[in-house]
Amino acid sequence: MSSRKLLVLTGVVALLFAFIFFFERKMPTTSELAEKGELYWDLPEDRVEKVVLEHGSDTVELVKAGESWQLARPDAYPADASAASDLAAQLADLKKPGGESPEGAKPEDYGLAKPAAKVTFVWTEPSAPEKKRSRTLEFGIDIPGTDLTAARLTGAPEILLVPASLAAAVRKGADDFRSKDVFGVSAADLTRVEVARGRGRLVLARKGGIWWIEEPISDLAGRDLADRLAGDLATLRVTEFLPTSEASDL
């Protein structure tokens, strides 16, 4: 084999290796594609950092702070991690279960002349994390006899048929996204409990894995009772959020 042919083959092998290393290894596998299904778009899910829901006169804003989600509007409150993450995931990888509407379909026929709800989500690309990108999706009517809802990108003529579960999530109120955990800690992380009742005061402190009474006396605490109290506090959950108008009447 001539040296020229050897150089050409070497170059081809180098290009093939570069393609595999830089591109093919980042491409989704067959199983990953099957799991995702057909999508309208596939955006960096872990880069979604803000979601704003609007329906009627209500506005709900969710903001990602580090690895956790926070409710920013209508007021500041810890968000339910599962509900917020699931919504962000659905928006980032919008499934295409029903394709697009028939050609020539009119927005008013699908309730999109005056959308009942819309969502705006903001994300950053891995290659340029300092730049913010956003997309707004409007929702119309639920398609009878299906689990689909009509939607479209703001300003775009195409009508999309998206999962009704996404539309239902967008129509939720702020209380549906509030964390139900009262304290949001594990029992093992609790090191101090202070109980005030009238003029009485009880203070428990855990030192070296052992619970002690610090107030009203200094003594060793009953381990089972202290552990039970810590466990009850750590697992305390909200059953219902009262309307703001009733918050002052406690």
Side-chain angles (χ1 to χ4, degrees):
M1 182 181 293
S2 66
S3 58
R4 179 182 177 84
K5 288 184 178 179
L6 184 60
L7 287 173
V8 171
L9 287 175
T10 302
V12 170
V13 171
L15 288 173
L16 181 60
F17 176 79
F19 174 80
I20 294 174
F21 184 80
F22 290 105
F23 297 98
E24 191 170 278
R25 71 189 182 98
K26 297 181 180 180
M27 295 173 65
T29 63
T30 302
S31 61
E32 289 173 334
L33 288 173
E35 183 179 349
K36 282 182 175 291
E38 192 174 0
L39 303 173
Y40 282 113
W41 57 70
D42 185 4
L43 302 174
E45 180 182 317
D46 60 335
R47 292 280 182 166
V48 176
E49 57 181 37
K50 183 167 73 171
V51 179
V52 180
L53 315 175
E54 298 176 69
H55 42 86
S57 59
D58 297 331
T59 299
V60 178
E61 181 177 339
L62 297 162
V63 179
K64 196 172 185 180
E67 295 300 318
S68 63
W69 284 92
Q70 298 288 324
L71 190 68
R73 283 191 287 175
D75 50 24
Y77 199 85
D80 181 277
S82 178
S85 297
D86 180 67
L87 176 59
Q90 289 191 72
L91 291 170
D93 299 335
L94 184 62
K95 286 184 167 50
K96 195 176 185 180
E100 297 179 0
S101 62
E103 187 176 350
K106 299 178 180 179
E108 54 267 27
D109 295 336
Y110 289 85
L112 290 166
K114 294 182 179 180
K118 68 177 181 178
V119 58
T120 300
F121 62 106
V122 179
W123 78 94
T124 58
E125 295 289 352
S127 58
E130 72 283 353
K131 293 184 179 180
K132 312 292 183 186
R133 302 189 63 182
S134 66
R135 191 165 288 181
T136 299
L137 194 61
E138 302 173 341
F139 295 87
I141 63 171
D142 294 328
I143 308 302
T146 72
D147 57 355
L148 304 173
T149 298
R152 69 172 175 178
L153 288 170
T154 298
E158 295 83 6
I159 297 174
L160 315 178
L161 299 180
V162 303
S165 59
L166 173 59
V170 171
R171 295 171 185 146
K172 288 181 177 180
D175 287 351
D176 294 304
F177 290 100
R178 297 184 195 275
S179 172
K180 303 299 188 297
D181 293 323
V182 174
F183 294 107
V185 297
S186 68
D189 292 331
L190 284 176
T191 59
R192 187 178 180 86
V193 178
E194 299 182 14
V195 181
R197 185 174 59 189
R199 295 183 178 181
R201 180 179 172 84
L202 170 66
V203 178
L204 300 174
R206 181 157 51 187
K207 304 172 184 177
I210 300 174
W211 285 102
W212 293 84
I213 301 175
E214 291 191 346
E215 292 185 45
I217 60 173
S218 180
D219 199 356
L220 185 65
R223 178 177 178 178
D224 291 343
L225 288 173
D227 283 342
R228 189 183 308 158
L229 176 60
D232 289 345
L233 290 173
T235 58
L236 192 61
R237 300 271 293 172
V238 173
T239 56
E240 182 183 0
F241 290 100
L242 292 176
T244 304
S245 59
E246 298 179 22
S248 61
D249 185 19
L250 296 176

